Amino acid sequence: MTEVAKIETTLKDWETDQEVRWCPGCGDYAILKAVQRTLPQLGADPKNTVFISGIGCSSRFPYYMETYGFHTIHGRAPAFATGVKLANPDLDVWLVTGDGDGLSIGGNHMMHVLRRNVNMQIMLFNNEIYGLTKGQYSPTSREHTRTPTSPLGSVDHPANPCAFALGSGARFIGRGFDVSKNLPDVLKAAHAHQGAAFIEIFQNCIVYNKDVFDDFAAPKGAEDRQLWLEHGQPMLFGNAKKGDIKGLKLVPETFSFEVVDVVDGDWEAAGVCVHDAKNRMLAHMLIELEFGPYPMPLGVIYDDPKPTYESAVIAERAKAVEGKDNNLARLLAKGQTWTVSGTAQDPV
């Protein structure tokens, strides 16, 4: 793999001439702009970038990015993305999926791309509903969600995308939401990570699941309900202007978190925990936090790189041909050969 040179681009360089077509007010618009604004800041090259999607509202994404792209089969985008990365490891691969595409029919494929640690950014748009197919409940829909396929309320226990990713062996897990000003920072951290970077993005479905994330994403009072994590920084949340700061304290006896008040900004005296993005057990605790008693953990939850799948494949290929002749023409001509000559026989 070679290091790809960074270039200067603008947002316009990443926009296509295609009409962006999602429902008015859909959170996908905000995510699209966040990505288009982030890529120039990374020095990324459109000619070296690929967006790959499956099926669903989110999967229209490649049409709107002035890059290479594939709109593939339902749930199978990870398999296509893996093939692309192995064929050309220098390409910058982004995988776009949704809670239905990525965790229902595509759950098996998602698990394997994560455990293999293929170097790509995986954006899972989670709106807790099937939007494209008109509002059926999805793997992440909350219990009692009323939909055309669960008119009395869903009895399913919802999947936790980040817990799924961690359990599948993901080495990077991030969280954000569609209209958050911090989403580009999460995307940048994912891009810097060498390996499969999983980002859950809460996304508002204006038609079938409107404002389902307002309990933590609504602007008013958001500072009391959102915990933005940063490696090496204390886990603080609350209204700093009003002096109402809180934090998460680790209780060793029960191996759980406790919400504590921070007086006069002295978070150390309050025993507030410092975030360690390399601590897998800490990541598990944050992912499983119950929203309500606790704030919603957002940002980079886990970031602990290890060698990528494609680097191992490349090394294996190099070892397989070590000391051997890899010239196909010479190999075909090697050994016993003979030439057939003469004229055709007269017909019988």
Side-chain angles (χ1 to χ4, degrees):
M1 291 178 286
T2 59
E3 186 174 346
V4 179
K6 294 183 178 181
I7 68 169
E8 290 188 10
T9 60
T10 66
L11 182 150
K12 293 293 183 182
D13 294 316
W14 298 89
E15 295 179 332
T16 69
D17 59 359
Q18 300 297 300
E19 179 187 359
V20 182
R21 297 184 64 184
W22 284 305
C23 299
C26 175
D28 288 353
Y29 287 98
I31 301 173
L32 175 64
K33 284 302 176 187
V35 173
Q36 290 172 336
R37 289 190 181 101
T38 300
L39 288 168
Q41 297 175 33
L42 297 173
D45 186 347
K47 296 178 182 178
N48 196 63
T49 306
V50 187
F51 279 82
I52 299 173
S53 66
I55 296 296
C57 297
S58 64
S59 295
R60 299 183 62 83
F61 213 90
Y63 295 106
Y64 309 137
M65 297 298 302
E66 190 60 40
T67 66
Y68 294 106
F70 287 94
H71 187 180
T72 70
I73 307 170
H74 202 187
R76 275 68 175 182
F80 283 86
T82 300
V84 168
K85 195 65 181 178
L86 290 179
N88 188 349
D90 293 332
L91 289 175
D92 188 8
V93 177
W94 295 74
L95 192 155
V96 186
T97 185
D99 46 305
D101 180 66
L103 295 179
S104 184
I105 190 171
N108 183 49
H109 293 275
M110 181 66 71
M111 176 184 71
H112 294 305
V113 77
L114 292 171
R115 73 171 179 82
R116 285 174 173 149
N117 198 36
V118 186
N119 190 16
M120 66 180 71
Q121 297 74 238
I122 303 168
M123 299 188 295
L124 185 140
F125 297 9
N126 181 11
N127 56 19
E128 297 186 2
I129 207 76
Y130 279 104
L132 185 67
T133 48
K134 308 302 182 286
Q136 301 91 333
Y137 71 92
S138 82
T140 60
S141 296
R142 304 176 194 188
E143 293 177 14
H144 313 303
T145 298
R146 292 179 179 270
T147 74
T149 49
S150 57
L152 300 180
S154 170
V155 297
D156 280 8
H157 181 67
N160 181 330
C162 289
F164 172 86
L166 188 67
S168 298
R171 309 296 298 189
F172 179 101
I173 296 173
R175 258 201 201 133
F177 59 94
D178 45 17
V179 297
S180 169
K181 64 180 181 180
N182 296 325
L183 180 58
D185 292 332
V186 182
L187 298 175
K188 290 175 189 176
H191 189 267
H193 177 89
Q194 292 299 301
F198 181 88
I199 314 118
E200 178 185 18
I201 305 176
F202 296 111
Q203 176 257 322
N204 187 31
C205 177
I206 198 74
V207 176
Y208 297 110
N209 214 14
K210 184 180 179 182
D211 301 332
V212 70
F213 302 117
D214 267 6
D215 48 3
F216 68 86
K220 187 175 181 180
E223 59 274 5
D224 294 321
R225 305 186 303 271
Q226 298 174 12
L227 172 63
W228 284 95
L229 297 160
E230 185 178 350
H231 179 67
Q233 296 299 314
M235 299 181 186
L236 299 174
F237 62 100
N239 194 322
K241 293 181 179 179
K242 295 182 179 179
D244 183 19
I245 302 297
K246 294 179 172 58
L248 293 187
K249 177 182 177 180
L250 185 62
V251 182
E253 294 79 11
T254 58
F255 205 67
S256 61
F257 284 119
E258 174 187 354
V259 175
V260 295
D261 292 316
V262 176
V263 181
D264 298 328
D266 193 348
W267 58 268
E268 290 179 293
V272 174
C273 186
V274 173
H275 182 45
D276 180 4
K278 293 183 179 296
N279 189 320
R280 183 180 177 85
M281 290 303 298
L282 190 63
H284 181 78
M285 291 177 65
L286 288 165
I287 288 168
E288 295 289 351
L289 273 184
E290 180 185 357
F291 178 74
Y294 300 97
M296 175 60 72
L298 300 163
V300 178
I301 298 173
Y302 185 54
D303 185 0
D304 187 19
K306 73 173 185 178
T308 64
Y309 180 68
E310 65 274 14
S311 64
V313 171
I314 291 170
E316 184 182 55
R317 289 173 180 169
K319 186 177 180 180
V321 300
E322 187 177 349
K324 298 178 181 177
D325 186 356
N326 61 356
N327 185 298
L328 182 60
R330 284 200 299 265
L331 289 172
L332 290 174
K334 188 176 181 181
Q336 186 177 9
T337 62
W338 62 91
T339 302
V340 177
S341 61
T343 59
Q345 298 294 321
D346 294 332
V348 176

